[in-house]
Amino acid sequence: MEMRKENNMIGDTIVTKKLSSGMKCYIIPKNGYQEKMAVLSAKFGSNDIYYRKPTEEQKHDMPLGTAHFIEHKLFEQSWGDAFITFSNQCATANAFTDFQKTAYYFNCQKNFELNLKLLLSFIQHTHFTEESTEQEKKIIASEITMYQDDPSWIVFFKLLENMYHNHTVKYPIAGTVDTIQCVTKEILQKSYEAYYTPENFCLVCAGDIESDSILELAEKIMKPTNGHRAVTLFEKEPESIVKQYSETNMSLVNPIFQIGFKQKPQDEIKSLKQVYLMRIAMDILAGESSDFFEKAYQKQLLKETMDCEFFSGEGYAFTTFSGTGEFAQKTAELLLIEIDNIQKQGIPESIFERAKNKQVGRMIRGFNSIYAICMSQLELAMKNRDLFDGFHTLKSIKIEEVQRVFQKDFLKENMVISVVK
């Protein structure tokens, strides 16, 4: 059934429809914009290692990095390279894999429906060969080696190793040089068939586009299949952390570090609100106007504000505070003192309103960017929500809810530190 939602405050429309194939579509018309964009995502990421098919009891597994490997190979079709075809049709295409999904997208100013037809078509076909699979291993191994030389990549995944005992979120998205050597064309095809089903796809389009013609085109091209999305299996994850501190030596002039808090993931109904609660809480705690940053700056622990991020998905949730300097542990101690102050004294109403309005303003500004619209909607689609759901959820947040975050989610025993120096 097609659903059309409008937001008078923002002045935009979102058209959503689930096609007969099972694919969910989100269309956001932006009249007068030159840029047009489409992104098609499969709910299949680096976390999806162990699975079973809905009709079977047998447990399957795949090498670390398989989802990312498929992303690399899917543009290669029996008729040629989809990247080149996009370029010939005046579009710029790309793709990425993260913990939960693999996304393929393009931007263009003309030939939108022609490029959309290409996107919808090649996502449904594979051309895995032994020769090309072996060649790709060298390319991906080089990419992995590059990541292993990136301090920001190392500090992040060391942080996750400190946090998680069993959950696959702790493993690098591209796998390791060793694990990708185990990938074969048969594994690629088997994994593709397990997860690349229409009911596991999400299509997001934005720009000066016609929703009716897009939905008609997608309905025509996206073919139903007999298969259903595989069920991903996760080992039970303790609430405790693995260890509190790790240090990696990379001979950096300026050390970098991340302070993280392992948190309890919410179910799908509550997970959307958790995202906005954590964003507001992190800004209150460590944003550029926070008491913490003023104190850290005066004590010369930090020269600039820390980057704050919240990550959540099936079976995991955590926050990260990223900084530069030689005082990771002192910074973490100061952060804990500020958390304790907020727990005891509460959040002033004016500070809460400022942090909340900051998040609302960012969201509204995002509606002016075609790229931001598509990527934000893609993240919300993982929770079966749309941009307007996100907007209304954010607007509904109360100060008492943010206060509870500080009482329950920033616990000293669940704090970890990762340093690269």
Side-chain angles (χ1 to χ4, degrees):
M1 182 180 72
E2 181 177 325
M3 181 182 299
R4 184 178 296 267
K5 297 170 69 174
E6 297 183 3
N7 187 299
N8 294 328
M9 181 177 291
I10 300 172
D12 281 316
T13 300
I14 297 177
V15 179
T16 63
K17 185 177 183 180
K18 188 175 183 179
L19 304 182
S20 60
S21 63
M23 183 173 76
K24 192 74 175 288
C25 300
Y26 299 83
I27 316 298
I28 303 101
K30 298 287 288 185
N31 296 335
Y33 281 64
Q34 287 189 323
E35 183 186 12
K36 303 174 179 66
M37 181 173 175
V39 52
L40 199 159
S41 171
K43 193 175 181 181
F44 174 46
S46 61
N47 287 351
D48 301 294
I49 300 299
Y50 308 102
Y51 69 95
R52 65 172 178 81
K53 295 183 178 179
T55 57
E56 300 176 358
E57 290 299 321
Q58 181 183 358
K59 178 180 176 180
H60 303 272
D61 62 2
M62 61 187 91
L64 297 179
T66 299
H68 175 258
F69 207 120
I70 291 176
E71 174 218 316
H72 270 238
K73 295 304 300 172
L74 207 57
F75 281 94
E76 182 182 306
Q77 296 286 307
S78 59
W79 44 261
D81 191 328
F83 265 123
I84 295 174
T85 307
F86 275 117
S87 180
N88 291 339
Q89 295 176 176
C90 304
T92 301
N94 213 331
F96 66 88
T97 304
D98 62 21
F99 295 131
Q100 298 186 91
K101 63 183 176 296
T102 308
Y104 305 84
Y105 62 95
F106 70 85
N107 304 73
C108 66
Q109 293 189 6
K110 59 182 181 179
N111 300 332
F112 178 79
E113 292 196 6
L114 182 63
N115 286 301
L116 179 60
K117 182 178 179 180
L118 173 60
L119 179 65
L120 294 170
S121 298
F122 88 78
I123 202 81
Q124 298 181 80
H125 299 92
T126 64
H127 184 60
F128 304 134
T129 66
E130 288 185 12
E131 182 181 3
S132 66
T133 300
E134 291 303 312
Q135 290 174 345
E136 200 65 38
K137 288 179 183 179
K138 299 175 183 178
I139 297 171
I140 296 176
S142 177
E143 181 180 335
I144 291 170
T145 302
M146 179 183 68
Y147 287 137
Q148 291 172 340
D149 290 331
D150 181 353
S152 61
W153 189 261
I154 296 297
V155 77
F156 178 67
F157 278 98
K158 289 294 184 182
L159 188 84
L160 296 189
E161 288 179 11
N162 292 352
M163 281 187 189
Y164 287 94
H165 298 261
N166 301 319
H167 199 287
T168 50
V169 73
K170 69 180 181 177
Y171 298 123
I173 291 169
T176 69
V177 173
D178 289 335
T179 63
I180 64 168
Q181 302 308 316
C182 301
V183 174
T184 64
K185 71 169 188 174
E186 289 80 15
I187 288 175
L188 293 176
Q189 187 64 38
K190 184 178 178 181
S191 303
Y192 172 89
E193 291 172 357
Y195 285 96
Y196 277 69
T197 62
E199 66 178 23
N200 203 34
F201 290 157
C202 168
L203 174 68
V204 180
C205 302
D208 196 342
I209 51 181
E210 294 291 335
S211 60
D212 290 345
S213 60
I214 289 172
L215 292 171
E216 182 180 348
L217 178 65
E219 182 69 64
K220 180 180 179 180
I221 297 176
M222 189 58 62
K223 305 299 183 185
T225 63
N226 294 327
H228 295 283
R229 180 189 189 271
V231 177
T232 300
L233 307 173
F234 294 103
E235 290 187 51
K236 184 175 177 59
E237 175 65 35
E239 292 187 7
S240 64
I241 61 173
V242 176
K243 61 181 178 179
Q244 195 267 331
Y245 182 86
S246 68
E247 189 175 289
T248 305
N249 191 346
M250 296 185 72
S251 301
L252 301 184
V253 175
N254 294 310
I256 63 173
F257 61 88
Q258 286 192 347
I259 302 165
F261 290 87
K262 182 179 181 179
Q263 285 133 359
K264 185 177 180 180
Q266 300 294 313
D267 58 33
E268 187 176 277
I269 295 174
K270 297 179 181 178
S271 63
L272 178 58
K273 176 165 279 193
Q274 186 186 28
V275 170
Y276 298 118
L277 283 171
M278 296 308 302
R279 288 179 182 175
I280 293 173
M282 287 188 295
D283 188 57
I284 291 172
L285 175 60
E288 58 187 356
S289 301
S290 66
D291 289 343
F292 160 77
F293 176 64
E294 182 179 351
K295 293 171 185 175
Y297 185 80
Q298 289 176 349
K299 292 176 181 290
Q300 298 184 331
L301 300 179
L302 295 172
K303 294 181 179 179
E304 55 188 21
T305 54
M306 303 178 80
D307 291 329
C308 308
E309 290 190 78
F310 174 65
F311 300 83
S312 64
E314 189 174 359
Y316 70 93
F318 60 93
T319 49
T320 63
F321 299 85
S322 305
T324 302
E326 300 177 356
F327 307 105
Q329 289 181 300
K330 289 184 178 180
T331 303
E333 291 169 5
L334 186 62
L335 199 63
L336 288 173
I337 291 172
E338 193 58 35
I339 291 168
D340 185 62
N341 290 339
I342 295 173
Q343 288 173 345
K344 292 176 179 178
Q345 300 171 14
I347 304 167
E349 186 76 32
S350 60
I351 290 179
F352 164 72
E353 290 295 339
R354 182 181 64 200
K356 178 178 174 179
N357 290 337
K358 182 177 178 180
Q359 295 300 321
V360 171
R362 283 179 175 174
M363 184 176 289
I364 292 175
R365 286 195 300 273
F367 277 87
N368 294 319
S369 164
I370 297 300
Y371 180 86
I373 286 171
C374 285
M375 292 304 173
S376 296
Q377 178 54 69
L378 187 63
E379 291 301 319
L380 288 162
M382 297 293 293
K383 305 178 186 299
N384 292 312
R385 299 291 187 269
D386 61 42
L387 287 165
F388 293 166
D389 294 327
F391 184 78
H392 292 307
T393 299
L394 175 57
K395 291 282 287 182
S396 72
I397 287 176
K398 297 178 174 59
I399 189 171
E400 295 82 7
E401 295 174 303
V402 181
Q403 187 68 52
R404 283 197 292 272
V405 167
F406 283 95
Q407 302 294 342
K408 297 171 58 178
D409 293 314
F410 291 119
L411 302 179
K412 180 179 180 180
E413 59 266 30
N414 284 343
M415 184 186 77
V416 299
I417 304 170
S418 171
V419 176
V420 174
K421 66 178 188 177

